[in-house]
Amino acid sequence: MLYLVGLGLGDETDITLKGLEVVKKSARVYLEAYTSILLVDKSILESYYGREVIIADREMVESSSDEILEGADTVDVAFLVVGDPFGATTHTDLVIRAREKSIPVRTVPNASILSAIGAAGLQLYHFGQTVSMVFFTDNWRPASFYDRIRENRSIGLHTLVLLDIKVKEQSLENMARGRKIYEPPRYMTVGQCAQQMLEIEEEKKEGVYGPESLAVGAARVGGETEKFVAGTLKELCDADDILGGPLHSLILLGTGTHELEHEYVREFALDKENWDRIWAENYQSKK
Amino acid sequence: MLYLVGLGLGDETDITLKGLEVVKKSARVYLEAYTSILLVDKSILESYYGREVIIADREMVESSSDEILEGADTVDVAFLVVGDPFGATTHTDLVIRAREKSIPVRTVPNASILSAIGAAGLQLYHFGQTVSMVFFTDNWRPASFYDRIRENRSIGLHTLVLLDIKVKEQSLENMARGRKIYEPPRYMTVGQCAQQMLEIEEEKKEGVYGPESLAVGAARVGGETEKFVAGTLKELCDADDILGGPLHSLILLGTGTHELEHEYVREFALDKENWDRIWAENYQSKK
């Protein structure tokens, strides 16, 4: 049996009792470590589980899935995923390959950023499609998020923006020379995300949002040090110090924001006066 | 401290280790039991936790929240919620009342139907706003879901429909006579939901969806007996026997469904030939 086990969002104690039982009985335990991270190190997981944990990087999952699935028709293999196995990313490919080999698959769900983000005080019923923001480079500035946000805003909905992480990346030079030397991990911050969003609006000038659009920056959602900061996109460009370490996410408010949501979120506002002014002018009773 | 503790979706072993620790150390343990249910009885939770569990019905949470919050400034109180505390419903009111009393609040997240539904094979990135379906009566047929689905479909997105549950309801007669006699619990099925959706389309005739619209019926998502059935809304009207017991949910596919999603979901199709025909005619390459 192949088990996809969600680890939740915070630390080693966020695994479910069902998940822990699977980890303890499995012949091999893999940790998917390229789409999200826990707030604790692998060694802490290993000592908590009493098991060796094999890091599965993107290369292994995408090119060597046979290795992961080896023997899973007769023994149990656990594939651990931060958050929920179907949360921020899906592992459909691995499941389809298991199916092809007639390996049964079972999922152990857990908390996902998609619902834990509700702690910001915005109703999950009022979210549209989730988008991702990647690190821009000089010649790669993918902006499809802009159209998705437009769609969400056209019907008044909030947008959750999930932020890029770069783990085990090689510099172009090291890649060209075939040197397996990796850059330190990078986690996009709310400030970087807000900045990139404003750059794209500057380029496209279609008014999907702007520097005065209201948003919430979130850090370490679901963890003990969870932190929310509310403000305009412009204000959030400079709020990384207040938010602290990774992982970050951002919510762009929809114009259909309800009074009750507003009341809850404004508690997190960097500048309550500014927040209230913009709320009254551009959001209140817009849906 | 007031702890909102998610229990996950299946049975007593779906609590996280962090959540279990909170339950064990709390002075009082409440179980919110009117917006969702676990697949096991309260007595099983009590013996698993080694703690008495107080059922908190809607009346208690909405009218007697002071009782729940009593003393929570000095002792720990655990408020258990099936799924994630911010999942299908939010408990914003309780949190706001705790805030007013300067009682600190902490949340222990867990799996929610909002992400666990990904097991159906549809990308969570392609879902719009979630809607709820309530049991219709002769003179109460709330249909706001219809406009929400139209909005989602206008931008190609899937819609998750969460289905009504009726727990501890009184008949009109018993209510009028002040008799505290309660009806047996009722859980809406996929068949009832599909039927009500088609009735509203019949009335409104705006073509938001129809009998041939593709959908997925889901039962006991996240549990060991999780079951998915794919078909047209018309086919799903009669698929309750295949799905089995509660809880049920329904996903209405968006026209933006990707080829990979289609491949995965068609495995669950009641009638693959019919499914493929409708897919090719009305969905493929529509986004």
Side-chain angles (χ1 to χ4, degrees), chain B residues 8-54:
Chain B
L9 299 164
D11 59 37
E12 70 280 10
T13 66
D14 286 309
I15 195 169
T16 66
L17 286 133
K18 187 176 283 171
L20 185 60
E21 198 185 316
V22 167
V23 168
K24 286 188 182 293
K25 77 171 182 185
S26 288
R28 298 190 307 281
V29 180
Y30 296 92
L31 171 64
E32 189 271 86
Y34 59 94
T35 61
S36 189
I37 55 153
L38 273 190
L39 307 173
V40 294
D41 284 339
K42 180 185 100 152
S43 59
I44 290 178
L45 295 186
E46 288 185 321
S47 74
Y48 194 75
Y49 300 158
R51 295 299 311 273
E52 186 205 356
V53 171
I54 306 161

Side-chain angles (χ1 to χ4, degrees), chain B residues 132-148:
Chain B
S132 295
M133 177 71 72
V134 301
F135 282 113
F136 286 175
T137 65
D138 289 345
N139 37 31
W140 196 58
R141 301 161 62 84
S144 64
F145 71 84
Y146 189 78
D147 294 323
R148 299 292 88 71

Side-chain angles (χ1 to χ4, degrees), chain A residues 105-244:
Chain A
V105 179
R106 191 164 286 172
T107 304
V108 182
N110 207 322
S112 157
I113 183 72
L114 298 184
S115 56
I117 196 69
L122 297 166
Q123 299 276 340
L124 295 172
Y125 279 75
H126 300 153
F127 280 74
Q129 57 202 322
T130 301
V131 304
S132 294
M133 176 71 71
V134 301
F135 282 112
F136 287 175
T137 65
D138 289 344
N139 37 30
W140 197 58
R141 301 162 61 83
S144 64
F145 71 85
Y146 189 78
D147 294 323
R148 300 291 87 71
I149 291 177
R150 187 212 325 270
E151 291 170 346
N152 286 344
R153 285 177 76 86
S154 75
I155 54 176
L157 300 178
H158 311 311
T159 305
L160 172 63
V161 188
L162 300 176
L163 309 191
D164 203 3
I165 78 173
K166 292 279 186 206
V167 179
K168 217 179 163 186
E169 298 282 315
Q170 287 171 285
S171 67
L172 283 176
E173 196 190 333
N174 283 328
M175 202 184 293
R177 301 189 178 209
R179 293 192 294 224
K180 300 235 166 198
I181 299 170
Y182 302 101
E183 303 298 302
R186 291 190 298 151
Y187 308 101
M188 188 183 286
T189 66
V190 160
Q192 290 168 321
C193 174
Q195 182 62 43
Q196 290 192 175
M197 285 175 71
L198 291 177
E199 284 173 21
I200 294 297
E201 176 59 56
E202 267 295 299
E203 275 174 37
K204 301 206 177 238
K205 294 190 177 26
E206 296 170 26
V208 167
Y209 51 80
E212 292 230 316
S213 294
L214 299 180
V216 181
R220 300 171 306 285
V221 173
E224 310 250 313
T225 61
E226 178 178 84
K227 175 90 184 165
F228 298 105
V229 166
T232 64
L233 281 179
K234 187 154 179 294
E235 286 169 352
L236 289 181
C237 287
D238 301 309
D240 286 346
D241 285 351
I242 302 171
L243 280 165

Side-chain angles (χ1 to χ4, degrees), chain A residues 13 18 86 88 99 124-125, chain B residues 13 18 86 88 124-125 267:
Chain A
T13 66
K18 187 176 282 172
F86 295 103
R99 268 191 191 171
L124 295 172
Y125 279 75
Chain B
T13 66
K18 187 176 283 171
F86 295 104
L124 295 173
Y125 280 74
E267 288 294 309

Side-chain angles (χ1 to χ4, degrees), chain A residues 7 37 54 59 64 66 139 177 205 231 262 269 277 287:
Chain A
L7 295 188
I37 55 153
I54 307 160
E59 198 189 328
S64 315
D66 283 358
N139 37 30
R177 301 189 178 209
K205 294 190 177 26
H262 169 246
R277 177 184 62 77
K287 195 166 184 176

